[in-house]
Amino acid sequence: MRIGCPQLLVAGGVFLAGSAALSQGSASVDSVRLGPRTVMAVRIDGSAPAVDGSLDDPVWRHAFADPRTTASDFVEQGPRPGTDPALRTIAAFAFDDEAMYVAVRAFDNSPDSIVAPYPRRDDETTSDWIFVELDTRHDRRNAFSMGCNPRSVEVDGVFVDDVNYDYSWNGVWQCAARIDSLGWTAEFRIPFSQLRASAPSAGTSKVTWGMNVYRHVVHSGESSDWSPRLPSNSGRVVSYFNELRGIELPRAQHPIELRPFVLTESAPHPLLRPGSTSDEQRMGSSGGADITARLPRGLTLDATVRPDFGQVEADPSQINLTTFETFLPEQRPFFVNGADAFNFNLGVPFLTRGDDFSADHAFYSRRIGAPPHGAPPPTAVQVDAPSATDVLGAAKVTGRVAGGWTLGAMGTVTRAENASFLVPSGISMVRVEPQTRFGALRAQRDFRDGASALGIFATDVQRGGLRDGLDSLLVTRATFLGVDGRHRTGDYELSGFTAATQVTGAAAAITQVMHGPGHFLQRPDARYARDDTTATTANGAAARLRFARISGGNLTWSLTGYGVTPRFDANDQGFQRNADWLLAFGTIRYEVNDAGRRFRRWAVSSDQIGAGWSFGGERRSTVANIKIEGDLWNYWGGSLSVDHELSDLSLDLLRGDAAIVVPARTTLWANLYSDSRRATQLTLDAKLYREPGTHSSYADFAPTLTSRVTDRLALTGSVEGSRSDLGWQYLDAVQTADGDMRTVLARIDESTLSITTRADYAFTPHLTLQAYAQPYFASGHYSDLKYARTSGARASIVPFGNDARRLGDGSFDLDFDGDGTWDASIPNADFVLHELHGSAVLRWEYQPGSELFLVWTQMRAGTADRGSLAPARDVGDLFRLPPRNVVLMKLSYRWEP
């Protein structure tokens, strides 16, 4: 719809300040408001509105006076879903050749009760909020989300696969808000370039977008939406968006956006000279740039030269004694922006004895630029090695084109990395990472207005220059090819994928992958896997099929079948923990909202009921779960969940030895939280489990206190402590005097303690100071050694008893046959770990998209070979460790011609 600014009229009825606007009501809304609705965007022919939160521009006065251009009559999401909100909200949309503008009036009959702190950007803390959510592809699966609080603080993210929300996206847009006698207002300016939106050809193109406006009110606990978001439709978010029409997308007039940055760092480096045990502080500078160009037909090109991690907080400390890798989130802007175009989910929501299937994905961008795989020889005392692989450059093309196609293509090159170390003859060098090329391709087509879709995804990793032993560590090439699809009809959805992988390389490299975590094809009882240590190629396949009732009432459920063959491996560019699984399981949930005098909401569910087998027919898991959760009308709430696993076979516990029967286990999860509307909130998480058959137990408690001390200062403190007594912990695989390999287990008494503190202070919405500190302590003491003995097709556990002795240095001598002769020894594995991660970050966004960071970080780390924690002693030991201080300044500038 077009409105010329010179002809705009003052519409005094726009702000309906009377009792109708502020009336309290909870009547159920009519079916029209629950069904599809449309609002028209206003074309701005004159001056664009000033983004100041006042809403007194002529374009807004005219737009609010016309019901066709006003989004009103919101529907309450909670605490009484599907009713008329007590507080009225209205929104209007306008656009010019460069940006979308949004104005929102949020009425409130108690303006003094509006909660309006100054959190740092992207901190969605306790506050009143207004969010504008735009499905610019209109694929009913993905959407941008931009929020503003009454202090003009910005938060943003993206919806992926309809319901999953990713906070890592950071767009360049503006908002301004004001509190007045009627409540508060918010005004947005969102450039089309940030929404990846431009005309597919020369001229302009009228488009329709999916759209929602969401409002949250703290003092009443009320949330409402223009596109109803009800618990009965919990399996849908973006697909329930109403429509925003009349937008005329121009051909991109500013086709290039450049964001160069310079980085100056002072950090310690080892002194490679004889007799030196210290580091020296060195200054270093680097730079890079991110480039964005809008291409014809709705495509966008992103390129980067030496991308920066942009990480201001260290990855949290943790002890990982399992065979599984730890998943870490992405931080680099190049890989974060547009990441939804490369989403191919391999996972399923299934958890059994630490085997978590939910994080598996075909594309895991932290593989690109990861720490090197190689290392100097163990005899090297002084080492100067890179902590990450340098990304020389990367480029990707993403976008939605005609015919319902969404496309994504990416190519990345990382350079070869070397490590220096000292030897008697001088300084030597070794290759620790080869040059590597990563490629990814995604294409997906929507049908039936996004209710159905079919897609393909492929990746390719190629490595060159595999010398200095790297050819036995890394495959030369890894490829992935997958097809996925979904079909939704009414309240039901059928979805699935099928995929194949191939890894190629030297026999030693293929063997290392296939004998490694998740595979263990060398098991003596895994004849069906046909282990081949001479193979130079390994091929595998995986598939998933899910049928679910995702919306439409109090009851939702799903049934899932999943399989991944023993040789399937997507870890060179994806994230995969498990192979050799056949799973069949279901979920069920019954939820009631506005549930009486005491409860706002309660639900009973089972996250998983099912079983899993290997491809050899071995039963690997049998799990049943029940969960109870609820929220009271005072906004306290919590949940209690119990998992019970039957006795099954573990193919992983002995890490390549035969499968072993593990006993039944029961796990209890509990969560409690106080009223989130208050300035101070307490949460408590706890996990307990018992495994009587191995006399094992585990307990973990994590209370967290968050306090908004003032509108500008927020403090968070959390303590997490755990204690475990595990009867069967893998310790080592040793070779006896007669050449046999034996797997040794032990009882481990393990304790961890971490204290995490954060302080955020906002000088303005765009100038903030963050401080973070986490001291972390962990200990482990091994005792009660035993070994695995294979009898027939299964392993059994044999205690050593007096056939194992502990020496004064903590090591063990072992006698496997009981003849009085020590057959092998194991060094002392007891440990105490002390770590401290701390940082202070000053962030100033001096203009939209251009930032200055001043960062100081400190890390202390040390170990001891004792096996227990003593807090007073360990804190003293921690602060006696030499610190590693890094001072960093990063300056970026966003330039758009």
Side-chain angles (χ1 to χ4, degrees), residues 111-193:
D112 293 340
S113 300
I114 293 172
V115 177
Y118 285 93
R120 60 180 170 85
R121 183 180 174 170
D122 288 330
D123 180 9
E124 195 177 334
T125 187
T126 300
S127 175
D128 282 41
W129 290 101
I130 289 173
F131 278 80
V132 176
E133 300 166 343
L134 298 172
D135 173 12
T136 58
R137 297 177 185 168
H138 209 209
D139 61 3
R140 294 176 171 83
R141 302 291 294 183
N142 304 281
F144 296 94
S145 176
M146 290 135 291
C148 183
N149 87 337
R151 299 293 190 188
S152 306
V153 177
E154 303 162 5
V155 298
D156 50 21
V158 292
F159 285 98
V160 181
D161 281 344
D162 206 353
V163 295
N164 299 320
Y165 193 74
D166 183 358
Y167 290 91
S168 58
W169 177 71
N170 284 305
V172 180
W173 52 279
Q174 298 168 266
C175 78
R178 292 188 181 189
I179 299 175
D180 57 26
S181 61
L182 299 180
W184 68 287
T185 60
E187 195 170 11
F188 299 74
R189 182 185 186 273
I190 310 166
F192 289 131
S193 62

Side-chain angles (χ1 to χ4, degrees), residues 100 250 617 864:
M100 169 65 63

